[in-house]
Amino acid sequence: RAQPAVRVRVVRCPGAAQAAAALRQGRADLALTDLPVPGDLVAHPVDQREVVLVSPPGLKLREPVPTAALNGMKLILPARGTAPRAEIDLVLEGVGASPVAAVEPEERAAWLGCVRAGRGSLLWYRHQLEGDTDGLAVRSFMPPLTRLVGIVHAHRQLPPAARDFLSFAKDNPRAAHHP
């Protein structure tokens, strides 16, 4: 708003790999994505996102949930080969957990419905639940599970508007991804 002559185009990418490709190909100047990223890109961390367990209320678990409880747990997992599945697989790999895939729906809109139907639990980001969890249990983990998010760019001179935005985002990290 302060720079009405600056044209901003937002490009949605299905995952970090596609965001990195857009940066490398010059189709984007900046990307907001999970970290880490490949070494040919520059990353500026701006937020930690908490991964929580969303489950039917009757599921008896110690709170906060020990990450070891994920071993053998029935989970609703995003479809194989998708960016959300890759994110969740990284989280599970990071804690050495081997859950059981109860359902692998293609559509994100179906995930909470599967939990409500008692088919399993779901790992997801607390900030993306947005009050859709009526009647469900949302639990933190111990140790906490988090993903680092950052603004990323290629190793090249940024256009002035991108430099200004990056500077603003580094000074106001919450504003950079919560418009």
Side-chain angles (χ1 to χ4, degrees), residues 54-57 112-113 115-117 129-138:
V54 182
S55 53
L112 289 176
V115 176
R116 280 192 175 87
L129 292 173
E130 299 174 6
D132 292 341
T133 57
D134 290 343
L136 299 176
V138 178

Side-chain angles (χ1 to χ4, degrees), residues 2-177:
Q3 307 259 346
V6 173
R7 188 175 140 248
V8 176
R9 185 172 58 106
V10 177
V11 178
R12 291 189 62 85
C13 296
Q18 294 84 351
L23 293 169
R24 289 184 189 109
Q25 297 163 3
R27 293 185 289 121
D29 296 317
L30 300 171
L32 181 67
T33 189
D34 286 336
L35 301 179
V37 293
D40 65 324
L41 300 172
V42 181
H44 306 271
V46 293
D47 193 25
Q48 285 270 24
R49 293 182 177 171
E50 182 187 11
V51 176
V52 293
L53 182 71
V54 182
S55 53
L59 185 64
K60 302 292 184 223
L61 291 170
R62 195 169 79 206
E63 292 191 46
V65 179
T67 54
L70 289 169
N71 282 320
M73 183 181 288
K74 285 191 198 176
L75 289 184
I76 310 302
L77 294 169
R80 292 179 192 275
T82 64
R85 178 61 176 264
E87 289 177 38
I88 296 299
D89 285 346
L90 277 174
V91 169
L92 292 168
E93 182 181 309
V95 297
S98 298
V100 174
V103 184
E104 297 175 302
E106 297 269 337
E107 293 298 319
R108 181 176 176 172
W111 299 349
L112 289 176
C114 290
V115 176
R116 280 192 175 87
R119 298 182 75 191
S121 296
L122 173 70
L123 289 180
W124 205 240
Y125 298 113
R126 182 179 294 279
H127 78 280
Q128 288 185 330
L129 292 173
E130 299 174 6
D132 292 341
T133 57
D134 290 343
L136 299 176
V138 178
R139 299 174 170 108
S140 294
F141 286 96
M142 185 53 67
L145 292 182
T146 59
R147 296 283 298 188
L148 186 59
V149 176
I151 296 176
V152 179
H153 59 87
H155 280 282
R156 62 175 165 260
Q157 184 72 27
L158 290 173
R163 273 197 319 268
D164 289 348
F165 180 82
L166 181 58
S167 178
F168 170 80
K170 288 165 77 176
D171 291 341
N172 305 280
R174 303 289 301 171
H177 65 282

